[in-house]
Amino acid sequence: MVDEEVRRQIVDAADALYYAQGFHAVGMDQVRDAAGVSLRRLYTEFPSKDDLILAVLAKRHDLWTAGVAARVATEQDPEAKLLAIYDYLADWFVEDTFRGCGFINAFGELGAADPRVAEAARRHKESFQAFVAELAAAAGASPALAPQLAILAEGAQTTAAIAGTPQAAADARAAAQVLIRAALPAHAA
């Protein structure tokens, strides 16, 4: 197998295990078995568990970014683009494998002890806020709207994971709609 294929196979296996069971609960032997590689090959590709965790977080960042952007791209109206973020969440929250935000999970489990994980989580959240800020600016809203909408999305992820129900997406969407309509010039009159 080509190195990139093996790396992807290992990252995919680790991601599924970490997301379902937690980072501390999963050992490298479990990742090896799930990925179908030798322990030597696993450590050749990822010299430490921390390196593997960072690769998993990079994958999750790419999946999140692409997924949200694709959902937003299905809409034309600026308000609908902003609300599409919550539609994306609604679709995600009903998946059988949903366990909350992988970055929040990683930060909660490892952030205090691993500055690289904490930094990866911060960069991911900053990236999402920048994306929302671009959408808000394109809609003609005040820059203050973006962090408000991002916080609603973050809170919905945590609430949905803890409550075990997708209702948080609809609640966050309804709150976002109120904020958006108050902030957009077309609704200000």
Side-chain angles (χ1 to χ4, degrees):
M1 261 189 246
V2 178
D3 287 348
E4 283 306 310
E5 290 176 32
V6 171
R7 286 181 70 83
R8 185 175 53 252
Q9 186 174 321
I10 292 168
V11 169
D12 288 349
D15 180 36
L17 289 167
Y18 293 154
Y19 191 62
Q21 300 175 32
F23 296 93
H24 286 304
V26 175
M28 293 298 266
D29 289 340
Q30 285 177 272
V31 174
R32 173 203 60 205
D33 293 346
V37 298
S38 69
L39 199 56
R40 180 182 172 132
R41 183 62 187 261
L42 175 59
Y43 279 109
T44 297
E45 297 298 328
F46 299 97
S48 72
K49 184 175 180 180
D50 288 346
D51 293 328
L52 180 55
I53 289 169
L54 291 172
V56 166
L57 293 176
K59 172 195 171 187
R60 284 209 159 258
H61 173 75
D62 292 344
L63 288 172
W64 166 265
T65 302
V68 171
R71 183 62 183 89
V72 166
T74 65
E75 301 295 342
Q76 300 302 314
D77 177 71
E79 180 180 342
K81 283 183 174 293
L82 287 163
L83 292 172
I85 294 166
Y86 306 94
D87 298 334
Y88 175 79
L89 294 178
D91 293 342
W92 180 34
F93 293 173
V94 297
E95 292 178 7
D96 289 339
T97 59
F98 175 73
R99 302 287 181 273
C101 172
F103 287 88
I104 294 171
N105 297 347
F107 186 84
E109 227 184 299
L110 306 168
D114 190 333
R116 295 188 314 162
V117 168
E119 182 57 28
R122 282 186 196 103
R123 279 193 317 269
H124 172 72
K125 299 305 180 182
E126 288 167 358
S127 171
F128 176 59
Q129 283 200 12
F131 177 72
V132 177
E134 289 173 16
L135 294 175
S142 160
L145 179 63
Q148 295 168 355
L149 296 179
I151 287 169
L152 282 173
E154 299 296 346
Q157 292 172 63
T158 302
T159 301
I162 293 170
T165 174
Q167 182 59 40
D171 294 340
R173 188 184 197 283
Q177 189 168 39
V178 170
L179 289 171
I180 293 164
R181 290 191 173 165
L184 291 183
H187 297 287

